[in-house]
């Protein structure tokens, strides 16, 4: 059964409790003030695997139009929720934000 929202304030307990809900790309985005902005979340798979992900927002230059595909960036996998703590993943995302 799909969850009501794909945004939640992530905590360690919530990350552990998250389960795949049947969507082809099941991601819960972090709405917590600790997230430091949007683009950080947890992606779940049918196998039970979960990983931290980051979707950067591209900065638009003056010569890019609104629908320009160059402004769309790929999803970046930070790491497995089994290997990284929530705070470690958030720290890595903060570092990545400096490059975009």
């Amino acid at each position: 059964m799909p969850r009501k929202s794909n945004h939640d304030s992530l905590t360690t307990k919530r990350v552990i409790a998250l389960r795949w809900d049947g969507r082809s790309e099941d991601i819960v985005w972090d709405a917590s003030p600790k997230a430091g902005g949007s683009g950080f979340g947890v992606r779940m798979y049918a196998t039970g695997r979960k990983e931290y992900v980051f979707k950067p927002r591209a900065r638009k230059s003056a010569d890019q139009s609104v629908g320009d595909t160059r402004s769309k960036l790929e999803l970046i996998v930070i790491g497995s929720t089994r290997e990284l703590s929530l705070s470690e993943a958030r720290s890595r995302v903060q570092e990545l934000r400096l490059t975009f």
Side-chain angles (χ1 to χ4, degrees), residues 27-44:
I27 300 174
V28 173
W29 299 104
D30 193 4
S32 168
K34 293 180 181 178
S38 62
F40 173 65
V42 176
R43 178 167 52 184
M44 282 87 44

Side-chain angles (χ1 to χ4, degrees), residues 54-56 72-76 100:
F54 174 55
K55 177 82 174 184
K72 296 179 183 176
L73 298 173
E74 297 294 319
L75 192 67
I76 298 170
F100 291 97

Side-chain angles (χ1 to χ4, degrees), residues 45-64:
Y45 295 90
T47 61
R49 187 179 80 183
K50 293 180 264 188
E51 58 193 13
Y52 296 110
V53 295
F54 174 55
K55 177 82 174 184
R57 290 186 177 178
R59 295 185 184 110
K60 289 198 180 233
S61 64
D63 63 332
Q64 286 180 307

